[in-house]
Amino acid sequence: MTSLSPSQAFRGIWPAMLTPLNEDLSIDHAKFAAHASALIRAGCGGVTLFGTTGEGASFSMAERREALEAMVRHGVPAAQIMVSTSCAALPETLELTRHAVQIGVHGCLMLPPFFFKGVSDQGIIDCYCQVIDGVDDARLKIYLYHIPQVSGVSLSHHVIDTLKKRYPETILGIKDSACSTAHSVGLAESFMKDLTVYVGYEPDLPEMGRLGSTGAISGLANFMPRLVHRLVTLPDAPATPADRQRAIDLIGLLGDYSLMPALKGIMAILSGDQAWLRVRPPLVALSPAQFTALEAAIRAFGVERVSD
């Protein structure tokens, strides 16, 4: 899979990493780094920490700083890390972003302000400006994160256009996880000349690849990185329709479960390590009955471990 130049938007697959937890629900730093290293060895361009799939909003600022530092100490190159620095409190977003830049990460994935609902475009723009101007470092690279079904706040074309014009060297891309093909295509048609548009919904990757998208931040890539990579980089290959259908089928299989606990369930099944089942409240781990049913379905579906 594709590597990158630090001054450019990322290319290839940067999985939206699941966050492994200890029994006391603190972050298991060693397992976190081992999972990241396995994904990079499997050909991923890098990894993404503390996004929605990684339960990012459930961890404190101190926990997120410590985990990033530990991952680098465990040998994961900082330049192959993307980190979500999104917090409800603007000063905390600023502090996490400044810390990530100082560590040397490739970029920061940043939500619009997500506690208050019904905020204006100007309010959203002001929040991003506060962080970018506050960090005041040419190394800062930001990817705007659009997931309104979770955040409750949308990134309008006006917001994106305004920020890109104001910070042309800082805003490198958009991660669109709205799971709407029409919305993603609209972003690509409006902004792909100056920004890379990535989607989180894997079945849309071939369509976006045809429009110029060069990678993805994907939840399924925690255990299917090669398939996800083919979807976006080989959109018209003979095997792509089958790969796309396989992604659709797996997403459908997970439809009866809460998504993050189910994704962690798959990691537990593939690794044989049920510690992967742990989640932070307000998420609830799979029950024994749910895990048994998911295991039977996944065994029948046939997902391989990343290291295989």
Side-chain angles (χ1 to χ4, degrees):
M1 300 181 196
T2 315
S3 188
L4 54 87
S5 163
S7 63
Q8 298 172 342
F10 78 85
R11 302 176 67 87
I13 303 307
W14 291 51
M17 283 187 62
L18 296 159
T19 306
L21 303 179
N22 295 306
E23 191 171 358
D24 64 357
L25 302 186
S26 62
I27 298 170
D28 186 331
H29 294 153
K31 189 178 294 182
F32 203 20
H35 183 39
S37 296
L39 290 167
I40 290 171
R41 286 196 305 271
C44 293
V47 292
T48 305
L49 314 186
F50 297 123
T52 307
T53 302
E55 303 172 69
S58 294
F59 300 104
S60 71
M61 187 169 56
E63 287 177 306
R64 289 156 75 173
R65 282 198 309 258
E66 184 181 9
L68 174 57
E69 291 170 3
M71 183 162 287
V72 174
R73 284 199 308 271
H74 279 88
V76 180
Q80 289 181 275
I81 297 173
M82 176 95 65
V83 58
S84 172
T85 57
S86 307
C87 299
L90 186 59
E92 294 185 352
T93 300
L94 172 57
E95 183 170 335
L96 280 180
T97 304
R98 183 182 290 121
H99 174 261
V101 171
Q102 291 169 347
I103 292 290
V105 302
H106 166 69
C108 296
L109 185 65
M110 196 177 300
L111 288 164
F114 57 87
F115 182 79
F116 296 104
K117 304 302 180 271
V119 296
S120 66
D121 278 2
Q122 189 58 53
I124 295 170
I125 291 166
D126 288 348
C127 280
Y128 280 104
C129 291
Q130 286 278 332
V131 173
I132 296 169
D133 294 341
V135 172
D136 190 24
D137 192 316
R139 296 173 295 173
L140 174 61
K141 307 299 179 188
I142 286 180
Y143 294 83
L144 306 175
Y145 188 10
H146 179 74
I147 183 168
Q149 71 273 30
V150 173
S151 69
V153 181
S154 294
L155 287 172
S156 71
H157 282 215
H158 171 65
V159 166
I160 296 166
D161 186 57
T162 300
L163 290 172
K164 181 58 180 175
K165 287 177 178 175
R166 189 171 299 184
Y167 304 104
E169 303 301 320
T170 301
I171 309 294
L172 293 190
I174 308 162
K175 187 197 176 192
D176 182 20
S177 293
C179 302
S180 163
T181 305
H183 185 267
S184 298
V185 169
L187 287 176
E189 291 174 342
S190 296
F191 298 109
M192 196 75 89
K193 179 174 178 287
D194 300 308
L195 294 169
T196 305
V197 180
Y198 309 89
V199 292
Y201 183 59
E202 292 84 0
D204 282 347
L205 287 172
E207 180 70 19
M208 295 303 292
R210 295 182 192 104
L211 293 171
S213 187
T214 56
I217 297 173
S218 155
L220 296 187
N222 278 279
F223 35 78
M224 299 173 69
R226 298 177 184 91
L227 182 145
V228 175
H229 183 261
R230 292 194 301 268
L231 286 176
V232 69
T233 59
L234 301 169
D236 296 310
T240 296
D243 280 344
R244 182 176 182 272
Q245 188 60 51
R246 187 163 170 78
I248 291 170
D249 291 345
L250 180 56
I251 292 168
L253 185 154
L254 298 176
D256 292 334
Y257 306 90
S258 176
L259 183 58
M260 269 65 81
L263 293 175
K264 283 191 158 181
I266 294 175
M267 289 297 298
I269 293 162
L270 298 179
S271 67
D273 179 4
Q274 293 209 6
W276 271 108
L277 292 171
R278 297 172 184 144
V279 295
R280 271 271 179 101
L283 299 182
V284 177
L286 296 177
S287 69
Q290 287 176 317
F291 179 72
T292 298
L294 180 64
E295 182 173 23
I298 291 300
R299 299 290 185 201
F301 185 83
V303 178
E304 295 181 351
R305 292 184 62 181
V306 168
S307 57
D308 290 345

